[in-house]
Each structure stands twice: as C-alpha cells, then as structure tokens.
Amino acid sequence: MKFRTAVFVIAALLSSTAVQAEGWLKVDGTHIVDDSGEPVILRGMGLGGWMLQEGYMLKLGEIGQQHKIRAKLVELVGEERTAVFYRAWLDNHTTEADIAAMAKWGFNSVRLPIHFDQLTLPADKEPKTGQDTWHEEGFQRIDRLLEWSKANRIYLILDLHAAPGGQGNDLAISDRDPAKPSLWQSEENQRKTVTLWTKLAARYRDEPWIGGYDLINEPNWSFATPGKGNGCDETENKAVWSLQQRITAAIRKVDAKHIVIIEGNCWGNNYKGLPPAWDANMVLSFHKYWNRNDEASIAEIKALRTSYNRPIWLGESGENSNVWFRDAIALVEGEDIGWNFWPLKKIGFNQPLEIDPGPAWAKIVAWATGGGPKPGADEAFAAMMTLAGNSRFDKNIAKPDVIDAMFRQPHEAGNRAFTPRRIGTGPLVIGAADYDLGPSGVAYRDTVDANYHVATGGERTPWNNGATYRNDGVDIAREADGTPYVRDFVTGEFMRYSAEVAKAGRWTVSARVRSAKGGRIGIDERGVPIPAGAAWQVIPLAEVDLPPGPGAATLRAIDCDDCEVADLTFTPR
C-alpha cells in the first residue's frame, strides 16, 4: 500500500505548480508583495515536531512537553543514548527531500518552529546572569534549511515557537516548565528573547528567501490570573504588545528589510489593546482550528486588516479533515489571505506525510503513559532509533488525499481516481478505501466529515473514526496484515470509484462485504441484501454496461448501520 500510494503521489506532484514569487517579500498596504510588486499568497506548512516535539505528535499527549518526553527516554536508556536519539531525530526528520517535495506539491513557504534551546541556553543554565551562550550547531541547521528553501524557491519563515521560559499555559506548545518563571514573569527571559531575535536578524538580514520573522508563537497567558488562564479574556494585552515592540525595535537596528509577524494573545487571536501599527513592514497573524469555515470566523481579523492597513496571514491551522482543509483554504484565499498549515508530518494520518513509528514504539508509549511494562534499555533504544530513521522523508507515508484537498479542491469541485486504474480484459479489484479523491458529496458522502468542536462547544468529533489511511469522513480500519477496509458504512453514505475503460463492454460488479446485523448496499437505488454474519462474503451487486473512456461506479449504503466493505471487483462478461 505504501509503494502504491507513493507512486501515485509522484504522478500527482507532476501536475502541481507552485505560485512563484520573486525576491524580497514586503508589505504594501494590506498585501504581501514581492520585489516586482506582485501580491503573494503564501501557501505553506509548519515543520512541527522537528526542533520542538509536542507529545501528541508522538502518541505521548499525556506527557505533553518535550522536556518531560526526554526525561522519560533518559529513564529508559540513559543520557548518552537519549542524546544519540535526538541527534538522529534532528538529522532525519527534515531534509532537503522534504522541501523539494513541498515545492513540487505547490507550497511556496515553510514555517520553522524554533525551540530557543536549539540556539541558546535557558536563563537558569547560563554560567553568568545576563550572559548568552550560543549553540552554533542550531544556527547551522537553520542555515541548511535556508539553503534547501532557496534551492527550491520556497520562503522560509522563522517562528519562535518556544520562547525562553515559555509564553503560555498550553504547556506543550512551548515546552514550558510551570515550576519556573514564564516568559511573562521574567525580565531575563524577555531580555534573552529580544537578544535571540537580534542574533537571528543579524545573521539573516541579507537573505531574501527568509520570508519573515514570526516573533512569538501563540501567546496564551492570563495576566490577571498568571499560570491559569489562556489570555482570551484579556482586554489590553499590554505585555504582549510591549515585548513584540521591543523585539521589532531590536530587529530594526540590524535588519531594515524583513517582514515582522506579530501574534495576539489567546493562541494568536486576541488583538485587544493593539497599539497603532509600529512598523511599516508588519503582518498580523491569526490561527484557526476546529471552528466553522465561514465569513464570521475571520470577520474580526479582516476588520483589523482594514483599520491597521496591514496584511493578515493565517499563520497556523490544520489538525482536521480534508473537508475542513479545503473549506478553510478556499475561505482565506478568497479573501487574499495566505496560509500555513500544521504540521508537515507526525505519527498520524491527517497531514501530507505520516511517520510510521514501527511496532516497538507502542511499548514505550504504553509504559510512558502508565499502561504497560517498562521496556528493556536495548529494546527501547532500538525502538527510538527506528522512530528517528522512519521520520526521514523516504520512509514517510505520503498522503495524496491531503495534498489534493489543499491545492486542487479549493478551486475545483470534481473527483479524480485515487490511483490510476484501467478496466480491461481481466478482473479489476479496487480496494474499498481507494475511493476517488474529491470533496464530500462528490467523491464520497459520510455522516461526519470534520471536527467543529470549538464552534459547537462539544467534544472533539472524529471524522475517519479508524484514524488511518485517509483523511476524509469515510471510516477506515485495517486487517491484521495492515490492509485497509471501510467500516461503519451506514445508510445514506456512498463512495465513488473511477477508472479508465479500455473498450465498451459488460461487467459484473461484486463486493466483498460483511455485516453482523445484515443490510443492503448497491450501485443502484435498489441494492442487494447482505446476509448477517461475521465473515467476509462476496456478493454480486449488478451487471453494468460501460462505454470506452472515463467510467465510474458509486457504491451506496442503502440500509446499513454496521456494514463493512473490503473491495470491489469488476469482472468482464
């Protein structure tokens, strides 16, 4: 399955074209423009998990912060071997192959979430208060990423994702230790943050392929109740604006050209108390997760764009279904707003690249989260190094459905075959999970196809409740050998399967299905019954006449509440 998907992705890449910009990015009124003055719609991904791990990306969400994850690994294998793992992770997770693939898919920007500890020591670890110890290796990693970006004509946006001390109460985002002073509680942490940005700006001031400086990712801090709130109720945000003004002023002493990107409190979205725009080359970023993709969801930030006469940018979004991705991108691009989704890769199914952690990583997860025995040191280290190796691009599982949802579907509502296939003289078997690429209601229909829990105030809603293989609403599980199949195929849902028909003829269409309760499915409105039972069984659905050229069959759940489908077979008569 991995090989077949990868082959299809290569074919898909060749049909994608990136929107190319030229030279320095800058602000012109409410637009980001290039050197020629042409407006630029930034289309990008964030490299989450590379320099800063969040627990959920490794199935360690209960642990959360990177320093806690690292401590667990040290407990398993010791400090020396944990350091070997982290170096392998940094070496493998993001390489030039990732950036080249992004360019071929159509991305024109990449956002690098930086953990400050890659570049300097924490304030409490400095040999002397007020001193800054620099890690040249971390800067060199950014240098290499910039070289890859330049070679592939992709703008690199530097994002301080974990500021010294941590910028909020959502601890994993910034790897914050709540036992120590936060960014907002320590003048020394703020000084170090300003100095770090000065160092970065001095290093990259002459680099046009640096797209901008994202000053502080997602502040989420209540100044009325430090350590408890997320800043959404703050009405002034004085400290948030003051620090970003200080950073901007420091940058401008060494770098007059690059865009500075500011973010509000409340995960980037609370802009209350924002002073008059303090820099001519400034962009306002907002983040968007799990809400509706309607005009109301962006009305406030659009109003700020008008009143401050500065561009706005969807600096982070994602972690949802293809339906949500398509709708969000169509919404913001329709308003001339660029976007950056999150993340490029992780353990999981709903982003362009999936990391397969290998079977032994689950034992570490089970132990670390309290549900399993402690693995031996050698076994654990082998699992860690397999994970690090599998984070590399050539070991990743590409997700063509996600790329299709991001680049084609916002502008074209039709369907396409999931992988090229041809109905010829012999039987053709199509995996049920290999239904067409395309929007809900066209390529498939499912009762749940996105998570809107922020808008509804309810629980997070799974769309593909099997959380594997594809990122649509269709519910997919796997057999013991890893083969995907469709489950929870219920009344009113359908899946469409396209193929090229070699010559006119008649075919028998059958399906391999099962249902504990029984049901009725079909490729017409009448359908055929599925006898109740626990085993897979092949049932004939219909005989169809197909002309030469593009053809399709739509499988419908006519009366089902627990139907499962493994595959369809077209057999010539």
Side-chain angles (χ1 to χ4, degrees), residues 34-364:
D34 64 11
D35 261 351
S36 66
E38 287 297 311
V40 176
I41 298 293
L42 291 172
R43 301 177 174 96
M45 292 297 306
L47 300 177
W50 184 28
M51 293 187 175
L52 171 59
Q53 294 173 337
E54 294 182 47
Y56 83 95
M57 294 184 177
L58 300 174
K59 299 300 182 183
L60 294 169
E62 295 175 40
I63 297 176
Q65 302 105 296
Q66 178 172 275
H67 71 271
K68 288 187 173 182
I69 297 168
R70 195 181 195 285
K72 282 288 188 182
L73 298 180
V74 169
E75 187 178 343
L76 282 174
V77 303
E79 185 65 50
E80 183 177 342
R81 289 206 283 187
T82 298
V84 171
F85 161 73
Y86 272 103
R87 181 172 293 278
W89 177 264
L90 288 167
D91 288 345
N92 284 296
H93 182 283
T94 300
T95 67
E96 186 170 10
D98 294 282
I99 306 305
M102 287 180 62
K104 290 176 182 177
W105 287 330
F107 294 105
N108 60 13
S109 59
V110 59
R111 179 173 177 249
L112 172 63
I114 298 170
H115 194 313
F116 80 91
D117 72 0
Q118 291 291 300
L119 305 178
T120 188
L121 286 175
D124 62 351
K125 299 283 181 66
E126 288 287 4
K128 185 177 180 180
T129 302
Q131 186 177 20
D132 296 297
T133 301
W134 301 110
H135 303 322
E136 181 60 20
E137 182 180 351
F139 287 99
Q140 289 175 0
R141 285 195 186 275
I142 299 176
D143 293 347
R144 287 194 292 274
L145 178 60
L146 176 59
E147 289 303 312
W148 304 334
S149 299
K150 289 165 67 173
N152 289 282
R153 304 178 65 79
I154 281 182
Y155 287 101
L156 171 59
I157 297 168
L158 302 183
D159 152 40
L160 186 54
H161 215 81
Q167 62 268 25
N169 289 317
D170 195 339
L171 303 179
I173 288 173
S174 60
D175 191 24
R176 179 173 162 248
D177 183 350
K180 299 179 180 180
S182 75
L183 174 67
W184 311 110
Q185 295 170 310
S186 165
E187 173 55 36
E188 179 57 18
N189 282 334
Q190 294 183 30
R191 184 206 64 78
K192 185 173 273 287
T193 299
V194 173
T195 305
L196 174 57
W197 270 117
T198 307
K199 182 87 167 176
L200 286 165
R203 192 178 186 102
Y204 299 115
R205 60 189 170 195
D206 297 322
E207 295 287 354
W209 286 102
I210 294 288
Y213 303 138
D214 192 345
L215 303 185
I216 305 174
N217 174 70
E218 292 190 342
N220 58 101
W221 188 261
S222 171
F223 295 93
T225 56
K228 294 184 180 180
N230 52 35
C232 297
D233 296 329
E234 292 289 319
T235 58
E236 296 184 332
N237 298 302
K238 289 182 179 180
V240 174
W241 306 131
S242 175
L243 181 54
Q244 293 186 80
Q245 286 175 307
R246 285 174 60 190
I247 295 169
T248 304
I251 288 172
R252 290 298 177 233
K253 289 180 180 179
V254 297
D255 181 348
K257 277 195 167 184
H258 280 110
I259 288 171
V260 293
I261 301 165
I262 66 168
E263 298 194 29
N265 208 343
C266 186
W267 295 284
N269 296 309
N270 180 353
Y271 275 88
K272 292 176 182 176
L274 180 66
W278 58 81
D279 193 86
N281 214 21
M282 185 172 82
V283 170
L284 281 60
S285 174
F286 68 105
H287 292 190
K288 191 178 195 303
Y289 284 99
W290 311 304
N291 57 5
R292 300 290 181 189
N293 288 307
D294 54 19
E295 178 63 27
S297 71
I298 59 172
E300 288 187 16
I301 195 70
K302 281 178 57 185
L304 285 173
R305 174 172 66 177
T306 300
S307 61
Y308 283 83
N309 193 37
R310 294 292 184 275
I312 57 178
W313 175 56
L314 177 52
E316 194 178 299
S317 188
E319 299 294 9
N320 215 314
S321 70
N322 289 336
V323 162
W324 199 95
F325 292 173
R326 179 204 63 188
D327 291 349
I329 290 169
L331 173 69
V332 297
E333 287 200 10
E335 298 288 349
D336 296 324
I337 302 168
W339 49 270
N340 192 283
F341 271 48
W342 177 271
L344 177 66
K345 64 177 71 172
K346 68 175 188 297
I347 301 173
F349 71 109
N350 61 329
Q351 65 285 321
L353 297 170
E354 178 179 359
I355 299 172
D356 176 1
W361 180 253
K363 294 182 180 181
I364 292 178

Side-chain angles (χ1 to χ4, degrees), residues 276-517:
W278 58 81
D279 193 86
N281 214 21
M282 185 172 82
V283 170
L284 281 60
S285 174
F286 68 105
H287 292 190
K288 191 178 195 303
Y289 284 99
W290 311 304
N291 57 5
R292 300 290 181 189
N293 288 307
D294 54 19
E295 178 63 27
S297 71
I298 59 172
E300 288 187 16
I301 195 70
K302 281 178 57 185
L304 285 173
R305 174 172 66 177
T306 300
S307 61
Y308 283 83
N309 193 37
R310 294 292 184 275
I312 57 178
W313 175 56
L314 177 52
E316 194 178 299
S317 188
E319 299 294 9
N320 215 314
S321 70
N322 289 336
V323 162
W324 199 95
F325 292 173
R326 179 204 63 188
D327 291 349
I329 290 169
L331 173 69
V332 297
E333 287 200 10
E335 298 288 349
D336 296 324
I337 302 168
W339 49 270
N340 192 283
F341 271 48
W342 177 271
L344 177 66
K345 64 177 71 172
K346 68 175 188 297
I347 301 173
F349 71 109
N350 61 329
Q351 65 285 321
L353 297 170
E354 178 179 359
I355 299 172
D356 176 1
W361 180 253
K363 294 182 180 181
I364 292 178
V365 171
W367 166 77
T369 56
K374 184 178 181 179
D378 291 345
E379 180 185 18
F381 182 64
M384 291 160 58
M385 295 307 289
T386 295
L387 171 64
N390 285 358
S391 72
R392 196 172 181 88
F393 177 78
D394 60 2
K395 297 288 186 68
N396 295 162
I397 303 167
K399 300 293 182 177
D401 57 306
V402 174
I403 297 300
D404 190 69
M406 288 180 164
F407 286 99
R408 183 183 68 87
Q409 292 181 35
H411 311 286
E412 178 189 320
N415 59 294
R416 291 184 179 181
F418 179 70
T419 187
R421 58 175 71 103
R422 188 168 182 264
I423 299 178
T425 57
L428 173 67
V429 180
I430 302 175
D434 292 346
Y435 57 90
D436 285 358
L437 298 168
S440 174
V442 177
Y444 73 94
R445 178 179 292 137
D446 196 88
T447 54
V448 177
D449 56 21
N451 173 15
Y452 300 101
H453 80 268
V454 167
T456 63
E459 297 294 321
R460 294 174 185 261
T461 305
W463 48 99
N464 171 358
N465 62 31
T468 189
Y469 196 60
R470 296 184 64 171
N471 192 38
D472 298 312
V474 176
D475 302 307
I476 299 174
R478 291 185 183 270
E479 299 278 22
D481 65 358
T483 303
Y485 67 92
V486 173
R487 71 178 188 186
D488 294 331
F489 190 42
V490 302
T491 303
E493 297 180 349
F494 71 75
M495 296 169 291
R496 184 179 177 90
Y497 301 88
S498 293
E500 187 72 18
V501 181
K503 63 178 182 178
R506 169 165 285 216
W507 280 264
T508 297
V509 184
S510 59
R512 191 157 56 97
V513 299
R514 66 185 175 192
S515 172
K517 300 177 182 178

